[in-house]
Amino acid sequence: MTMQARQQEGEVREMIVATGTKISDGIAIGRIRILKEHKYEISYSRTEDREKELERLEHARSEVQKRQHILYEKAMKSAGEDGAAIFEAHELMLEDEELIDPCKELIMQRGYKAEYAIWSGFDKTAQMFREMENPYLRERSTDIGELKNALLDVLSGWEMEEEMRDEPYILAAEDLTPSETVRLDQKILLGIVTREGSSNSHTAILAKSMDLPALIRCKEIDKSWEGKLAILDGEHSSIYIDPDPEFLEKMTAKRDERKKQEALLSLLKGKENKTLDGKTIKVCANIGDPSEIEDVLENDADGVGLFRSELLYLNSETEPSEEEQFQAYKRVAQALAPKQVIIRTCDIGADKSVSYMRIKPEDNPALGCRGIRLCLTRNDFFKRQLRAILRASAYGNLGIMFPMIVSVKEVRECNELLAECRRELTEEGVETGQMQTGIMIETPAAALCADELAEEVDFFSIGTNDLTQYTCAIDRQNANLERFLDPYHPALFKLIQMTVEAGHRHQIWVGICGELGADPMLTEMFLKTGVDELSVNPRSILPLRKKIRSIDVTNRMDQNKRT
Ligand code: PEP
Ligand code: MG
């Protein structure tokens, strides 16, 4: 924790600056309320009236089901289908006798009270799930823990809302369950900060869908914050307690300006992305996880230009199975159809490593066995992903693209494996859909051979992050090289121009999906190259649309010719 002592009107004021991991951007300003933890008192004593305890158990079960249903309806309104799904799942889980039977046994055979039976029975089941290999099932242990608490809440008559007051506030808590999050009165909830939590948790998804500034893993949360004025700055992953007046004024202005901009930008939703001279540009989203579907829809993206599929691998302790991948891709394809979703095949290696892949240490990992090189040396691994993508293609408008390509030979190998997987699936009687096939242009070799490569694919997507790294020979991971890095290096723009021209000569479309695509200083230059699509993080979509609508590409080119 850093402390900044500030002199003010003769007294020393201290502004506390604490940091965490941001879940969503945005600024919230208000007083802190600390969520009091509810401790359950579990009695080990036994009872003779076993029927009564069974009745209490059943009462709690049906009451929690009712509550979960109410929460589902509430979440549908505030967070949409994605945010609400968890409550429907909880309601269904409670119908499962296998979950309740161990508790009933503890009551009927051992004479324990309902509280202890639930506490012990659910804990054992949760432990069983925690030890499972399948990551999806492993995660269910969290749901079981939450249902246990919900049942104990009913038995103890505890209601979270009673703890909160009417004034708008920023909530600070150890951790929050999805139910707790959705039960908070959104009219007065300004933001959330928790000590624990994970970026992929249901709570995080809910906070994002509810558009709440939120910070997790903020280890400095302290009881003394209760009632203090705070600024939660999602953009900088920080919270400031007791801000000094000057800083408060600056951040209040920033928050108000942000709100104004957001309101203005939202007017662009549903409007075409046309330049002043009438060229339509597709503005798509870059995502890494199906949980970001809401962001894509909310920002009215034209589709997904880059689904970084390797995040599914990085978020798992074992390789995701074909079925797990299929479910993830299908979910995105279905939710966004008829919009196109382009899945970039697994780009592991270099900075994105996972232990279960047992990648041998290399002297130059960024120039080593990463991306397509890894996939082409592990065909079985690659085919599991290709099969999953092909299966999901029957459920929407999917495209596929291969990363780190340097030669025609590699593209042909990829296309052959894809065709082989399609044949196998057809023989197995599994349906597949049509898909556009493309490659990422992120090496100078690919840009320089774009004419030859264009013969093999339906589109190019330029990855400026790696294209910069490999063109300028600057390791993108090495912070010490910052001063040598020129993100606007002319060599990069020459390669981009060459790629777009080569693509168009061969009647294929060309997009940009690297970070530079979201830089408004470059939009005009990119559009002048003739690029057809920009794919950016969902938050940059609306500002980019605004920028595109202010550009007249023809006029600029005429002006340039005259001078
Ligand atoms: C890129 O290199 O520009 C790109 C989009 O891929 P990544 O950042 O995932 O390497
Ligand atoms: Mg890349």
Side-chain angles (χ1 to χ4, degrees):
M1 182 189 298
T2 52
M3 297 277 217
Q4 292 178 3
R6 290 170 194 253
Q7 198 76 33
Q8 202 217 359
E9 292 169 5
E11 67 179 282
V12 176
R13 277 178 63 96
E14 284 174 342
M15 176 165 79
I16 301 167
V17 186
T19 54
T21 306
K22 71 169 176 191
I23 287 302
S24 42
D25 277 334
I27 299 169
I29 301 177
R31 299 211 171 266
I32 295 271
R33 298 238 66 91
I34 295 187
L35 179 69
K36 291 192 187 65
E37 267 198 278
H38 180 228
K39 297 247 183 303
Y40 302 104
E41 277 166 26
I42 308 290
S43 154
Y44 297 85
S45 62
R46 308 205 187 193
T47 170
E48 281 311 307
D49 198 348
R50 299 178 183 195
E51 287 302 329
K52 182 176 150 220
E53 293 307 311
L54 265 191
E55 262 171 40
R56 291 181 69 228
L57 170 68
E58 285 301 348
H59 164 72
R61 177 195 202 173
S62 78
E63 186 58 31
V64 170
Q65 277 188 304
K66 266 190 242 153
R67 288 184 185 186
Q68 293 293 318
H69 191 75
I70 293 168
L71 292 174
Y72 170 79
E73 288 182 338
K74 194 168 174 194
M76 277 298 277
K77 286 193 200 117
S78 58
E81 180 70 53
D82 249 25
I86 185 64
F87 302 111
E88 195 178 31
H90 281 176
E91 203 183 331
L92 286 172
M93 277 169 84
L94 278 177
E95 271 174 24
D96 188 351
E97 294 305 328
E98 280 188 40
L99 189 64
I100 303 294
D101 279 349
C103 311
K104 285 187 178 165
E105 270 168 35
L106 283 164
I107 295 174
M108 290 312 283
Q109 289 169 16
R110 317 268 301 270
Y112 284 112
K113 292 198 166 168
E115 284 85 349
Y116 178 80
I118 290 168
W119 186 69
S120 169
F122 273 60
D123 260 6
K124 270 203 194 99
T125 313
Q127 184 56 30
M128 227 169 63
F129 275 85
R130 256 193 298 278
E131 284 163 8
M132 286 182 176
E133 283 225 339
N134 179 322
Y136 173 80
L137 293 175
R138 237 183 359 250
E139 260 187 43
R140 301 287 67 78
S141 62
T142 315
D143 298 318
I144 294 170
E146 188 177 340
L147 283 174
K148 175 189 82 175
N149 290 347
L151 291 164
L152 293 174
D153 284 348
V154 171
L155 291 177
S156 68
W158 186 76
E159 290 276 355
M160 189 183 74
E161 282 92 337
E162 287 166 16
E163 299 286 318
M164 311 315 296
R165 305 200 194 137
D166 291 343
E167 198 191 323
Y169 63 93
I170 295 171
L171 181 74
E174 278 301 304
D175 203 356
L176 277 175
T177 63
S179 318
E180 283 167 342
T181 312
V182 84
R183 271 151 67 185
L184 296 163
D185 184 352
Q186 276 185 61
K187 288 196 283 303
I188 53 172
L189 180 65
L190 301 168
I192 295 173
V193 51
T194 63
R195 190 192 304 277
E196 305 298 335
S198 87
S199 331
N200 285 322
S201 65
H202 289 295
T203 304
I205 296 169
L206 269 169
K208 264 195 235 163
S209 329
M210 288 155 75
D211 212 14
L212 273 177
L215 199 62
I216 57 168
R217 295 186 185 283
C218 177
K219 299 295 175 194
E220 292 102 328
I221 289 180
D222 191 87
K223 277 196 204 108
S224 64
W225 291 8
E226 174 72 38
K228 289 192 173 160
L229 188 62
I231 303 172
L232 197 168
D233 181 2
E235 196 185 333
H236 297 102
S237 307
S238 303
I239 185 159
Y240 309 88
I241 312 293
D242 269 344
D244 62 63
E246 208 183 298
F247 186 61
L248 179 62
E249 198 180 320
K250 188 177 130 208
M251 292 303 283
T252 307
K254 201 169 161 192
R255 178 199 62 188
D256 295 347
E257 181 55 29
R258 230 188 122 93
K259 280 194 184 151
K260 218 162 73 194
Q261 286 304 324
E262 274 167 14
L264 278 176
L265 287 175
S266 64
L267 297 176
L268 291 174
K269 289 183 197 170
K271 299 225 166 89
E272 273 189 296
N273 305 315
K274 272 198 172 145
T275 58
L276 286 175
D277 51 313
K279 175 162 176 159
T280 302
I281 307 291
K282 261 177 106 178
V283 180
C284 294
N286 294 346
I287 63 168
D289 190 278
S291 66
E292 289 171 271
I293 292 169
E294 268 309 308
D295 297 340
V296 179
L297 293 170
E298 175 58 25
N299 289 286
D300 197 22
D302 288 319
V304 170
L306 167 65
F307 181 139
R308 288 185 162 97
S309 69
E310 61 278 2
L311 296 196
L312 297 176
Y313 295 79
L314 297 176
N315 286 334
S316 175
E317 275 159 32
T318 51
E319 183 198 324
S321 65
E322 179 188 315
E323 182 61 25
E324 280 164 351
Q325 292 189 60
F326 161 65
Q327 291 297 345
Y329 305 145
K330 176 181 158 193
R331 194 169 143 209
V332 183
Q334 271 182 328
L336 297 178
K339 293 180 180 184
Q340 189 179 41
V341 175
I342 293 175
I343 301 179
R344 189 254 306 268
T345 58
C346 183
D347 187 19
I348 281 182
D351 53 316
K352 293 179 267 191
S353 193
V354 284
S355 56
Y356 59 82
M357 293 289 291
R358 298 184 202 287
I359 300 170
K360 286 210 185 93
E362 295 171 303
D363 287 341
N364 290 307
L367 303 180
C369 194
R370 64 164 287 199
I372 208 63
R373 300 172 188 174
L374 187 72
C375 291
L376 290 178
T377 45
R378 301 187 187 196
N379 281 4
D380 289 347
F381 166 81
F382 194 25
K383 280 179 73 179
R384 280 192 283 279
Q385 178 171 41
L386 296 179
R387 283 174 59 94
I389 297 173
L390 281 164
R391 282 169 61 193
S393 67
Y395 295 85
N397 179 6
L398 285 189
I400 185 169
M401 68 176 171
F402 306 111
M404 280 292 293
I405 292 291
V406 297
S407 70
V408 168
K409 183 169 166 285
E410 287 166 349
V411 185
R412 290 196 179 145
E413 254 187 80
C414 292
N415 282 339
E416 274 160 26
L417 278 172
L418 188 66
E420 186 179 314
C421 290
R422 197 186 278 279
R423 269 196 310 276
E424 282 172 12
L425 286 166
T426 310
E427 274 163 26
E428 291 164 29
V430 179
E431 204 188 335
T432 60
Q434 288 302 311
M435 276 200 297
Q436 283 199 326
T437 312
I439 55 168
M440 291 194 70
I441 303 288
E442 44 187 358
T443 62
L448 291 165
C449 294
D451 270 301
E452 291 80 358
L453 291 165
E455 305 260 355
E456 313 290 325
V457 290
D458 302 313
F459 66 89
F460 287 153
S461 186
I462 304 173
T464 53
N465 309 337
D466 277 317
L467 191 56
T468 306
Q469 146 162 279
Y470 295 123
T471 302
C472 301
I474 289 191
D475 179 355
R476 65 194 264 195
Q477 295 300 111
N478 189 340
N480 296 329
L481 297 178
E482 281 290 295
R483 80 184 179 93
F484 297 104
L485 177 70
D486 173 7
Y488 302 154
H489 198 294
L492 185 71
F493 295 97
K494 285 188 187 162
L495 292 172
I496 293 175
Q497 182 74 59
M498 285 175 68
T499 305
V500 177
E501 282 172 10
H504 288 176
R505 261 196 299 279
H506 294 268
Q507 280 82 46
I508 67 169
W509 63 265
V510 184
I512 294 180
C513 66
E515 292 306 302
L516 287 185
D519 184 343
M521 304 279 286
L522 296 175
T523 314
E524 184 163 348
M525 174 133 67
F526 285 150
L527 297 197
K528 277 169 72 181
T529 66
V531 81
D532 306 286
E533 181 207 88
L534 293 169
S535 191
V536 296
N537 68 69
R539 263 182 304 115
S540 300
I541 289 173
L542 292 173
L544 190 57
R545 286 170 71 152
K546 183 169 170 229
K547 185 77 194 177
I548 289 169
R549 293 163 70 87
S550 72
I551 291 174
D552 187 331
V553 182
T554 332
N555 287 346
R556 292 294 305 181
M557 288 173 105
D558 289 344
Q559 267 174 28
N560 289 347
K561 272 186 205 145
R562 274 201 299 274
T563 51

